Amino acid sequence: MTSLIPDEGAIVTPGDMTSLIPDEGAVVTPGDMTSLIPDEGAVVTPGDMTSLIPEGDMTSLIPDEGAVVTPGDMTSLIPNEGTNETPSLVPSNSLSTATVCVGDDGQTLAKTEEMINGLIKKRPHLSRFERLSKNRSAACLTVPDQTPMERFNKRHLSVTQLCEQSWCEIKVIYGFLQPHVKRREMKKSAVITGSSIHLARELEANPDAVTFVVQTREDREALKLMKLTQMVSGLKAGQLVREFPVFGVLEGVFFLGVVDELYHNESGELVLKELKTRSHNSLPHPAQSKGHFLQVGLYKLLFDSMVQGSMTRLNLLQYLKLQPHQAFGSELQIYAQKLGLPAVTFGELVDHFLNVLNFCNLQAVNKLTLEYIHQRSGSLVGSIEVEFNEAQLRAELRGYLAFWRGQREPQGVDVENIEEAWKCSMCPYEESCDWRTSKLQEVIVDGNKKTRFDGFKSGSSNSKCYQLEVPQLEVGQD
């Protein structure tokens, strides 16, 4: 039988092979073609024919029972309805990502990757897919030769992302891989209530706030700079300001953030306060407050660098990929004139804003405070004054950035540590987390640690996941 797989290096055109589709109007009888279905009772042996079943470690073309198979970006072997095309054995050049679906049979991602790599080595003519195979799995926590910044197309980071990273780096990755889950989490009542409290506080400090429909990214960022220009003047005059945007370069990475509150106390010290809402009338667990301490510390670094003249025009335009010659929309131009700003393009506004910063003579932040408010009653749960140690904070920051730069593997929750393991019970990715599953399997192997588990539950007929005993902690939602 003639092999359906072309020789290595051969170029296959429709004229080089007999079409598998009979000519229009032709009558096909069993005698005209060899049936691919053996006669009843016949014994089929490999013989000299080329097997259509993959050999070795090649991934089966038949999915395992229970596995979910999606078409992805693969070129179909079935021609479109109503066309005269013959099935193509060469995938489309528009293929961007080859997706591998891992079933619930316990097969690890690493094993799947190994199988596909073996296929590429055994079939040299498939080497063109080697680059695509590096990003073939939607469940892959890391991708070879790609940093997380490159993989997730991040030109800059937010302070909030680093706070989430201090909680669990694996959760940060799943937030990018499964954005629908993250969006669902953001719609929870506790999150919405917290956002409403923040908005109400902002309107208290700025009741004359206006809204605009922006047309470009430059308009959106220009509106922030106009707001900042007013806030800097207000802060210099001794006013309290809320929702103060901060940005700048820390350890070679551009960061963005929004400070909840800035004001001068009776002693003349500049206080940076961060508001946190609690669903429980209690202060947070140390694992939660760790991210809060990191947040206010980074805000101080960014604010201090801004008022000390570290921000440059090039940094703003280069990292945010903004066009300096982009003119404002008509509504924004009118608003800029109302504020007395001598600017009609984004670049002109940046120059004016930097001049304001350089000559504002604002002092650095003196105190960092965390304020916790009970969501239901609105009462004060408590306040914490955060000690600032720049050397320690920068060392911690470099450790987090090592992940984003691809200098180390991501780290998840330590499931053996009773002070950490309870985090998983609050995570929306708990059931699908490869990190947690692999770490629990490692613990189970050690017989001395089996007593840490109170049993197991079946997630499906082909998979098992184990549940740790978690401490009775009162954990609130921020």
Side-chain angles (χ1 to χ4, degrees), residues 303-467:
F303 178 86
D304 291 355
S305 67
M306 288 173 63
V307 299
Q308 291 168 359
S310 298
M311 176 57 58
T312 67
R313 188 178 197 268
L314 181 62
N315 283 340
L316 270 176
L317 300 177
Q318 180 179 353
Y319 284 104
L320 298 180
K321 301 295 182 183
L322 298 170
Q323 301 300 320
H325 302 297
Q326 177 69 48
F328 303 148
S330 56
E331 288 187 12
L332 208 57
Q333 286 190 29
I334 296 173
Y335 183 63
Q337 292 175 1
K338 182 180 178 181
L339 296 177
L341 298 175
V344 293
T345 66
F346 184 74
E348 291 173 350
L349 180 61
V350 169
D351 293 336
H352 174 74
F353 170 71
L354 292 178
N355 284 333
V356 171
L357 275 184
N358 292 335
F359 295 100
C360 68
N361 294 322
L362 281 175
Q363 64 189 83
V365 171
N366 303 113
K367 284 189 175 182
L368 303 174
T369 303
L370 289 166
E371 182 179 79
Y372 295 94
I373 299 294
H374 187 224
Q375 286 188 350
R376 186 173 302 174
S377 65
S379 60
L380 177 66
V381 176
S383 297
I384 300 176
E385 190 168 319
V386 180
E387 183 180 349
F388 180 75
N389 185 320
E390 182 171 353
Q392 180 179 336
L393 178 62
R394 286 190 176 274
E396 188 177 355
L397 174 59
R398 287 191 289 270
Y400 290 129
L401 292 180
F403 156 72
W404 290 102
R405 289 168 170 155
Q407 297 169 351
R408 63 170 177 81
E409 295 295 312
Q411 296 296 313
V413 171
D414 183 1
V415 298
E416 297 184 62
N417 185 350
I418 203 67
E419 293 296 323
E420 292 282 322
W422 59 271
K423 292 180 180 179
C424 294
S425 64
M426 303 172 61
C427 182
Y429 312 104
E430 177 185 10
E431 298 300 326
S432 60
C433 181
D434 290 339
W435 167 277
R436 180 174 181 269
T437 300
S438 64
K439 292 302 177 182
L440 288 176
Q441 289 173 347
E442 291 176 9
V443 174
I444 292 171
V445 171
D446 188 347
N448 294 329
K449 298 174 182 175
K450 287 184 179 179
T451 56
R452 293 178 180 265
F453 300 90
D454 63 357
F456 67 89
K457 56 183 180 179
S458 296
S460 68
S461 58
N462 296 322
S463 66
K464 295 180 180 179
C465 51
Y466 295 81
Q467 185 174 359

Side-chain angles (χ1 to χ4, degrees), residues 98-139:
T99 303
V100 175
C101 298
V102 183
D104 292 331
D105 59 351
Q107 184 182 47
T108 64
L109 182 63
K111 181 63 176 176
T112 304
E113 297 286 291
E114 182 182 347
M115 292 165 60
I116 298 177
N117 287 333
L119 168 62
I120 293 174
K121 291 179 181 179
K122 290 184 178 181
R123 303 289 189 271
H125 62 282
L126 297 179
S127 60
R128 59 178 293 196
F129 300 112
E130 186 169 5
R131 179 182 61 84
L132 300 177
S133 69
K134 293 179 180 180
N135 196 24
R136 54 184 163 250
S137 175

